[in-house]
Amino acid sequence: MPSDMSQDEPLPVPPFVPIEGLVNVRDIGGYEVPAPTKDGRPCSVRRGLVYRGSEPGRITPDGRAAFKALGIKKVYDIRTEEELPPKEMKPANPPQAKSFLAEWQSPIVEIEGVERIYLDVLGDSSVPKDREARAQAYQELKKDSTEVLDRGAILKPIFEHLAKPHPEPIYLHCTAGKDRTGTIIMLLLRLVGISPETAAEEYELTNLGLREEAPRLVEKMLKAPEMSIDAETLKNIMVAKREYIVALCKVLDEEYGGAEQYLRSYLKMSAVDVQAMRHTLVTDEPPVFPKRQETHTGGLTISRGHVILTLFAFTAIIVVWLVHDRFIVSETAYQIPKND
């Protein structure tokens, strides 16, 4: 599937799903699974079960109707607390001053018949507290942070849902539906035997899904004085590069023993549940996207830190601005008691 289409070409359907008010929405199903059926026909990842995309804060009435028509019953929101509107933050955190990200902080929407489940996978540890340290960290893409795979236990409800008999369709999103969402999708695809190259190809489709939104966001970032990051660095961060997912798959295999072992040992899921989830994710329907000829990355060497940090740098920059805004609000103006 080409990822270098022009701006004027419509997004390919499938895998993309047009929903007014959302961007980068697609169905992760349709990819050919290596294990064939008993009669030798190829299997595929089940369509209409797992959707990924952007946060739904700007969804229109027509978009709501299209969203509900997909049969989605659960929305898993994996943004950090700092990416939510001020009223959604914990009471201990003061409201933020208005910034260029005000438009990005969309309201939490409730869609009738759909349950929203919030899972803060990165948590407070994702943001250095010192302002200069933050600037240095994100400019160099180096910081001692808690990585998504290491904090993956918080994502267990997603996998438990998919292990149930006949689970209802779900929608996964962070802010843009790029990196944190991409890690979860990679885990699901690797569990059923999808190759790192194909998982990376699915991730790279994000460049198409964000082709209109990404330039506008970079332009807004460049106008903010808080971070001295040049335009080329920002543009590079916004690109979904397949080699990052290939390298992340290597981290998953070498440090966690692969997707199944990760789910069993790290998330403490039973062998029965993992097998049930694999059974749910695979169907004997013919693939929409036949198995591609795999290529190898040759001598690609990317450290664990650079893999994860580059994947989540865009999220981190958003968090930086939002947290920075808190520092410029007078502490005496908001004496809000701490409670969860």
Side-chain angles (χ1 to χ4, degrees):
M1 219 175 311
S3 60
D4 56 352
M5 298 167 58
S6 73
Q7 293 286 104
D8 297 329
E9 293 182 76
L11 294 174
V13 179
F16 285 94
V17 181
I19 298 182
E20 194 173 275
L22 274 66
V23 297
N24 197 27
V25 180
R26 55 190 190 267
D27 184 339
I28 73 161
Y31 291 93
E32 182 173 338
V33 174
T37 58
K38 292 180 180 180
D39 60 3
R41 291 180 294 108
C43 301
S44 66
V45 179
R46 189 178 302 277
R47 298 173 63 192
L49 177 61
V50 179
Y51 296 89
R52 61 177 295 175
S54 67
E55 54 82 19
R58 297 184 181 89
I59 194 168
T60 66
D62 286 345
R64 286 173 181 263
F67 193 91
K68 291 178 65 175
L70 296 174
I72 295 170
K73 296 299 181 182
K74 292 182 184 291
V75 170
Y76 292 94
D77 183 345
I78 58 173
R79 290 175 291 176
T80 61
E81 183 189 336
E82 286 80 9
E83 293 168 270
L84 302 179
K87 67 179 182 179
E88 297 294 327
M89 293 181 176
K90 295 176 183 177
N93 296 325
Q96 303 170 41
K98 183 176 177 62
S99 75
F100 81 104
L101 279 171
E103 293 183 4
W104 192 261
Q105 291 176 280
S106 299
I108 302 298
V109 299
E110 298 292 339
I111 300 176
E112 184 180 358
V114 179
E115 178 186 7
R116 173 181 174 262
I117 301 166
Y118 178 58
L119 305 172
D120 184 359
V121 67
L122 290 182
D124 295 336
S125 63
S126 63
V127 186
K129 302 304 179 185
D130 177 76
R131 188 179 305 173
E132 291 185 3
R134 293 199 306 269
Q136 183 74 9
Y138 301 120
Q139 194 162 10
E140 295 182 359
L141 300 183
K142 296 176 181 177
K143 67 186 179 76
D144 184 16
S145 66
T146 304
E147 293 132 347
V148 167
L149 285 176
D150 288 340
R151 290 176 59 88
I154 199 170
L155 301 174
K156 189 175 180 180
I158 298 173
F159 303 112
E160 288 179 326
H161 173 76
L162 293 174
K164 295 177 180 178
H166 311 294
E168 296 167 314
I170 65 174
Y171 181 74
L172 305 175
H173 75 87
C174 40
T175 290
K178 180 175 176 278
D179 297 320
R180 286 160 292 180
T181 302
T183 299
I184 300 171
I185 300 307
M186 179 275 291
L187 280 166
L188 295 176
L189 294 179
R190 291 294 291 141
L191 179 66
V192 299
I194 299 299
S195 71
E197 284 289 341
T198 299
E201 183 180 78
E202 196 284 332
Y203 168 73
E204 194 178 33
L205 289 171
T206 295
N207 294 326
L208 289 179
L210 296 179
R211 63 186 179 183
E212 295 180 2
E213 188 72 17
R216 288 197 292 265
L217 186 58
V218 169
E219 183 179 356
K220 289 181 179 181
M221 288 179 175
L222 290 174
K223 293 178 181 178
E226 294 90 352
M227 293 284 289
S228 56
I229 298 180
D230 61 88
E232 285 305 311
T233 299
L234 283 174
K235 290 177 182 177
N236 189 56
I237 288 171
M238 289 298 301
V239 176
K241 296 182 179 179
R242 66 172 63 200
E243 57 262 35
Y244 296 151
I245 287 291
V246 171
L248 185 59
C249 288
K250 186 176 181 181
V251 170
L252 178 67
D253 291 342
E254 293 183 354
E255 298 196 20
Y256 296 95
E260 179 171 354
Q261 192 62 31
Y262 175 83
L263 293 169
R264 292 190 60 185
S265 297
Y266 197 73
L267 270 62
K268 308 300 182 186
M269 295 185 69
S270 70
V272 172
D273 283 346
V274 172
Q275 182 59 30
M277 181 164 51
R278 184 184 282 114
H279 178 77
T280 295
L281 288 168
V282 176
T283 176
D284 59 4
E285 293 181 2
V288 177
F289 314 114
K291 188 176 180 181
R292 64 193 294 274
Q293 182 66 40
E294 305 298 350
T295 58
H296 299 282
T297 57
L300 176 66
T301 303
I302 303 178
S303 70
R304 171 188 173 88
H306 278 87
V307 172
I308 307 294
L309 293 176
T310 305
L311 278 172
F312 304 110
F314 171 57
T315 295
I317 288 176
I318 289 180
V319 171
V320 166
W321 263 298
L322 295 177
V323 172
H324 169 80
D325 287 339
R326 293 183 184 180
F327 283 108
I328 65 175
V329 178
S330 170
E331 293 182 357
T332 60
Y334 300 96
Q335 298 295 331
I336 303 177
K338 286 188 177 182
N339 61 64
D340 240 339

